[in-house]
Amino acid sequence: MTTPPGAGDPSPSDNSVLGTSLTARNIEAFGRKVSSTATHLITPLADAATGSTSLVGSTSHYQAAMTELHRELRRPGLQQRVFSFATTSPTDIVRARLSTREIQHRAVSRLSDQILREAPVVEHAYSLFQGFEATVSEGGEGGARKRRSRGQKLIAGREGEIEEGVGTREGLRRERKGMGHQLEMLAVRKNMASSEIREIDNKIANLARMRKIVLERLAGFENEAAVLDHDLLNIDNKLEDMGDEVEEAEPPSTPPIANSDGVDSDRDDVDGMNASFMSKSIFEKLPSPRSKRLKAVRRQSMPVLHEHIEPGSNIREIQAHNDQITTMDFDVPFGLMVSAAMDDTVRVWDLSVGRCIGMLEGHQASVRCLQVEDNIVATGSMDASIRLWDLSKAAYDPQDNRINKDAAEDEEDGLGFGNPEDEPPGPPESSMQDCPLFSLEAHVDEVTALYFRGNLLVSGSSDKTLRQWDLETGRCVQTLDVLWAAAQASSTMGSGDGQWRATGRLPDGSADFVGALQCFDAALACGTADGMVRLWDLRSGQVHRSLVGHTGPVTCLQFDDQHLVTGSLDRSIRIWDLRTGSISDAYAYDQQISSMAFDTRRIVAAAGEDVVKVYDKLEGKHWDCGAGIAAAEEGRSAPAVVERVRLRDGYLVEGRRDGMIGIWAC
C-alpha cells in the first residue's frame, strides 16, 4: 500500500526541528488545546448551550490562588522574611541548617593553615595519655608509699620462702614490676612539673615585657601632664601680671591725710614704729610687699611612676656639682629639685630629664640649708642671709621624658646627660632672673637650718638664736635665744652654774649649733649641738619640753602627728613619742648620722657610708640602697660617701661628697 506524499514520512525540515513524525497540523491542534486549557483556567466557566458566562463556583482555582498570594505578599512580616532571605548569603543559609552543637564543634576543631604554621612546637618526652595515667594514679602518693612499705615488708618476710618454689619468685617479680611502674609514673610527674615551671617562667617573662611597655606608656602620660602643668602655670602668671598692671593703672581711692605740718601722719607713724622695731640699715633692705608677692602654686597632677618601680632601682644619677653637697630638696617626684654645694652654687633641676634649668644667684657664700615648698624656695647661707625665690617665674620649657627616647636621641641630646661621666651643661643665664623675691637679713652668723610653712618661716643660726619671720611683711617678729633657754632650764633643774654644756661625744667644733628645726602652727622642734631636742611654743617664746637622750649634736629631725624622729652624731636615730616625750624606739649605726628623712613607710639616713640606710617600718627590716651595692658586686671603686638624703612618697634623692646626686626608687 502506497502512502500519499506528505502524510507519511516527515520532511527533512520537520525532523530537524521536532525530531518526531508530527506534522504541522498536529502542532496546530496541540496549540489550540493548550490555549483553550489556559483560557479555561483563567476565565470563568462558559455555558456551552447559551454561550453566556456562568458565575457558579465564583472564580477559578487559579484566580483564588493568585488573590491569596497577593494578600500574603502585602503582609510586612512576609515581606521582611523575603527580603532577609534575598540578602542572606549561601554560607549563612547552610549554617542556619546546622545545629548549635555542630557549629561549636566545627569552630573548635577547625584550625586555619596560618594558625598551624604559627603554633609552637613543644617536644615532650611523654605523651598525653602517660601524663593522665601518672596524674590519676591508684590511691595517690600516700597509697604508693604504703605499697612500697608493704612491699619492703613482704620482701623481708618472704626471704625464708624464696626457696619454697616458683610461685614465690613470681610474686616478687610482680612486686618488682609494680615498683618499676611507679618509678616510671614519678618520672612522668617530674617531667610535668618541670614543664609547668617553664611555662610559668615564660608567662612571667611575657608579663614583664608587658609591664615595661605599660610603664613606658605611664611615663609618657606623666610627661604630658607635666607639660600641661607648666603651660597652665604660665597662663596663670600672665593673668596675674595683667591684674597687677590694672591695679597699678587705677588711681588711689582715698588720698593720704596730712597733718598740720604738711607731712603724711600715717607715714610718720609707720616709720616711727619701724625705726623702733629694727635698725634703719636693715629696714631699708626690706622688700615692698606690694612689689613681690609670696604665692604658692600647687601642682594639679602628682606623679605615680616611681610607685611602680622596684625598690632599690636607680632612676638617674646626676653630676650636679664639683664639690660636696651641703643641702638639697625637691617638690614632688620627677618635679623640680634645688641643690647647693660647697662650690658656692645653687642649681635648679628638672628631675624628669636630669637637666639643670638655671642657677639661683644672690648669696655671697655657700648655702647651708634650703627648703622647696610647691614653687617657693627658701635658702639660708653662710653670709647670714635668707633669700626667697619663686620657681614659677623660671623661663624654661619641660622636655620629653628620657624613658621615651631611644639611644640615638640620647646621644644627640647634649643637655640630657644621663652618663655620670659627662659634664653638667651650663644653664641659660636669664632663666632665673625673675625668680628672686626678697631677702631676710637679721642674723649675724651663718644660717644653718630653716623651715617655712605658709607665711611663717623660722631660721636657726650659729649666732645661737632662732628667728621667726612673717613672710607677708618680710620682718622678724620674734627672736629666741637658745643659750638663755638652756640657762633657764638649768636653773629650774637646780644646776648651780647654768652654763651651756657641750656633749662629750663632740669630736671637733665643726658641728652646727642649730642642727635642724621644724615647725607646725605654734609648735617648734629644734635640735642643737648639746644633744638636746627642745619643743618651743612660738606664742609665748618659751621651751615647752626638752627631750634628753642623744649624747652628740643633733643634725636632723622630722616629726608628724605622733612621732618625732631625730638623728645625731652619736651614731643613732631615735624615735620619740610626742604624747609622752619618751623614746619609743632607737637604731644604732656604725657611723655618724648627717641627714635623715622619713615618710609613711620608710626611714632613710645618711650614715657616713656609700649607701643610704633604709628602715621599712611596715616590714620591720633594714636594707641598703645606693650606688655602693652595685660597685661592690662589680668590683669597682666605691662611690663617695652620702651626705644628704631627701624622701617623698618612696622617691629617694641622695647627695654625695663628690657632688653627685643619685635618684632611687625606695
Side-chain angles (χ1 to χ4, degrees):
M1 182 175 179
T2 305
T3 305
D9 296 333
S11 65
S13 61
D14 291 340
N15 258 337
S16 61
V17 177
L18 298 175
T20 63
S21 59
L22 295 178
T23 62
R25 186 178 301 171
N26 298 131
I27 294 174
E28 291 179 0
F30 177 75
R32 285 194 299 271
K33 291 181 180 180
V34 171
S35 299
S36 62
T37 303
T39 304
H40 178 75
L41 291 175
I42 295 175
T43 58
L45 296 175
D47 191 354
T50 61
S52 62
T53 303
S54 175
L55 297 179
V56 179
S58 184
T59 60
S60 65
H61 175 71
Y62 177 79
Q63 288 179 331
M66 293 300 296
T67 303
E68 185 68 21
L69 177 61
H70 285 293
R71 186 184 299 110
E72 291 292 334
L73 289 177
R74 283 195 296 268
R75 294 183 179 180
L78 182 61
Q79 293 178 0
Q80 186 177 3
R81 288 196 297 271
V82 171
F83 178 76
S84 177
F85 180 78
T87 57
T88 303
S89 63
T91 304
D92 295 335
I93 295 175
V94 174
R95 289 177 179 175
R97 296 179 177 274
L98 300 177
S99 62
T100 304
R101 181 171 299 181
E102 188 173 0
I103 293 175
Q104 293 175 351
H105 173 72
R106 293 192 178 190
V108 172
S109 61
R110 183 183 179 278
L111 296 176
S112 63
D113 296 338
Q114 182 179 359
I115 295 177
L116 292 175
R117 286 193 301 268
E118 297 177 355
V121 179
V122 181
E123 297 181 357
H124 292 287
Y126 301 95
S127 65
L128 180 62
F129 298 102
Q130 288 176 323
F132 180 77
E133 183 181 2
T135 304
V136 189
S137 60
E138 297 180 359
E141 297 180 356
R145 287 195 297 268
K146 291 180 181 180
R147 286 194 298 272
R148 286 196 296 270
S149 62
R150 186 174 65 251
Q152 293 173 358
K153 292 180 180 179
L154 290 174
I155 292 175
R158 294 178 180 178
E159 288 179 353
E161 301 178 0
I162 294 177
E163 301 176 355
E164 294 182 359
V166 183
T168 304
R169 287 195 296 271
E170 292 296 332
L172 290 176
R173 290 193 184 98
R174 288 193 299 270
E175 191 73 22
R176 184 181 183 280
K177 184 178 180 181
M179 292 181 180
H181 179 70
Q182 293 176 6
L183 188 60
E184 292 178 0
M185 295 299 102
L186 288 176
V188 174
R189 290 184 182 181
K190 289 167 56 178
N191 183 269
M192 293 172 58
S194 300
S195 300
E196 290 181 2
I197 292 175
R198 285 192 293 269
E199 291 179 2
I200 292 174
D201 292 339
N202 293 333
K203 291 179 180 179
I204 292 175
N206 293 333
L207 289 175
R209 287 192 292 268
M210 294 176 61
R211 187 180 188 276
K212 183 178 180 181
I213 294 173
V214 177
L215 198 65
E216 294 178 356
R217 191 184 308 161
L218 177 60
F221 293 156
E222 290 197 347
N223 179 57
E224 293 178 5
V227 173
L228 290 177
D229 272 339
H230 185 268
D231 295 341
L232 185 62
L233 182 60
N234 290 337
I235 294 176
D236 292 340
N237 290 335
K238 292 180 181 179
L239 292 175
E240 183 179 356
D241 294 340
M242 294 175 64
D244 294 341
E245 293 176 359
V246 172
E247 291 180 1
E248 292 176 359
E250 294 179 353
S253 58
T254 56
I257 301 175
N259 56 12
S260 58
D261 297 334
V263 182
D264 189 352
S265 60
D266 292 340
R267 184 173 181 82
D268 290 341
D269 295 340
V270 173
D271 290 344
M273 180 184 66
N274 292 335
S276 63
F277 186 75
M278 59 182 69
S279 63
K280 181 179 180 181
S281 61
I282 296 178
F283 173 69
E284 290 176 350
K285 298 178 181 179
L286 290 178
S288 171
R290 186 175 179 83
S291 60
K292 295 289 186 178
R293 293 182 179 180
L294 188 66
K295 180 180 178 182
V297 180
R298 196 171 291 273
R299 290 179 60 129
Q300 296 187 8
S301 63
M302 299 301 294
V304 295
L305 177 63
H306 61 284
E307 299 177 1
H308 304 283
I309 302 177
E310 183 180 358
S313 300
N314 178 252
I315 300 176
R316 191 181 303 278
E317 284 192 344
I318 304 172
Q319 184 63 51
H321 297 272
N322 299 322
D323 207 338
Q324 175 179 331
I325 302 294
T326 57
T327 181
M328 62 187 180
D329 197 9
F330 62 96
D331 54 356
V332 294
F334 299 101
L336 295 180
M337 179 185 69
V338 181
S339 62
M342 296 300 294
D343 58 4
D344 297 343
T345 60
V346 183
R347 297 177 182 268
V348 183
W349 304 86
D350 185 353
L351 292 179
S352 62
V353 293
R355 182 186 305 249
C356 180
I357 63 175
M359 301 177 63
L360 302 179
E361 299 177 346
H363 286 291
Q364 304 300 319
S366 298
V367 170
R368 295 294 311 279
C369 56
L370 64 86
Q371 180 186 349
V372 179
E373 193 70 23
D374 295 329
N375 60 302
I376 305 300
V377 180
T379 56
S381 172
M382 296 178 68
D383 61 5
S385 67
I386 301 170
R387 290 181 178 270
L388 281 90
W389 319 76
D390 186 358
L391 296 184
S392 65
K393 305 295 184 180
Y396 84 101
D397 293 326
Q399 304 294 325
D400 292 339
N401 196 312
R402 184 168 302 278
I403 197 172
N404 294 327
K405 294 184 178 182
D406 53 17
E409 290 178 340
D410 283 343
E411 294 177 358
E412 295 176 359
D413 189 3
L415 294 178
F417 54 98
N419 190 352
E421 297 179 358
D422 295 339
E423 292 294 332
E429 296 180 357
S430 61
S431 60
M432 299 291 165
Q433 62 181 2
D434 297 331
C435 293
L437 292 177
F438 48 83
S439 177
L440 306 176
E441 300 179 4
H443 287 290
V444 295
D445 206 341
E446 61 177 308
V447 179
T448 58
L450 62 83
Y451 187 88
F452 76 92
R453 187 183 183 91
N455 292 320
L456 171 66
L457 186 145
V458 179
S459 59
S461 170
S462 295
D463 61 6
K464 301 177 178 58
T465 62
L466 305 175
R467 292 184 181 269
Q468 178 183 354
W469 304 83
D470 185 358
L471 298 182
E472 287 187 351
T473 60
R475 299 170 182 169
C476 178
V477 297
Q478 185 173 200
T479 301
L480 306 176
D481 193 334
V482 181
L483 288 180
W484 180 83
Q488 289 293 108
S490 300
S491 61
T492 304
M493 291 186 293
S495 176
D497 51 9
Q499 298 296 323
W500 173 269
R501 296 172 181 259
T503 59
R505 293 287 183 89
L506 183 60
D508 51 31
S510 61
D512 297 328
F513 185 87
V514 179
L517 57 85
Q518 182 181 346
C519 60
F520 180 77
D521 290 340
L524 169 66
C526 173
T528 52
D530 61 346
M532 299 281 287
V533 179
R534 295 177 174 85
L535 306 181
W536 299 75
D537 187 352
L538 294 178
R539 294 168 296 188
S540 62
Q542 302 293 325
V543 176
H544 176 66
R545 177 181 292 174
S546 297
L547 306 179
V548 182
H550 284 294
T551 58
V554 177
T555 57
C556 47
L557 65 81
Q558 184 181 345
F559 65 82
D560 56 12
D561 297 337
Q562 298 181 357
H563 296 93
L564 169 68
V565 183
T566 58
S568 170
L569 295 183
D570 63 1
R571 301 178 295 180
S572 70
I573 289 180
R574 300 173 186 263
I575 303 177
W576 309 78
D577 190 340
L578 292 177
R579 296 167 295 185
T580 61
S582 60
I583 298 177
S584 61
D585 207 347
Y587 308 105
Y589 295 89
D590 297 333
Q591 302 293 332
Q592 298 173 346
I593 307 298
S594 59
S595 180
M596 179 274 308
F598 72 88
D599 58 9
T600 57
R601 177 168 180 171
R602 306 165 190 85
I603 300 176
V604 298
E609 300 183 16
D610 55 7
V611 295
V612 178
K613 298 294 184 179
V614 182
Y615 172 67
D616 194 321
K617 295 184 290 185
L618 297 182
E619 298 182 3
K621 67 176 183 179
H622 295 263
W623 56 285
D624 297 338
C625 178
I629 300 176
E633 293 176 352
E634 299 174 2
R636 295 184 284 105
S637 59
V641 174
V642 178
E643 284 290 332
R644 294 290 181 265
V645 292
R646 285 293 182 270
L647 177 69
R648 288 196 182 185
D649 300 328
Y651 189 84
L652 172 64
V653 178
E654 45 99 359
R656 307 171 197 162
R657 289 183 180 176
D658 60 353
M660 183 76 71
I661 290 180
I663 305 171
W664 305 81
C666 184

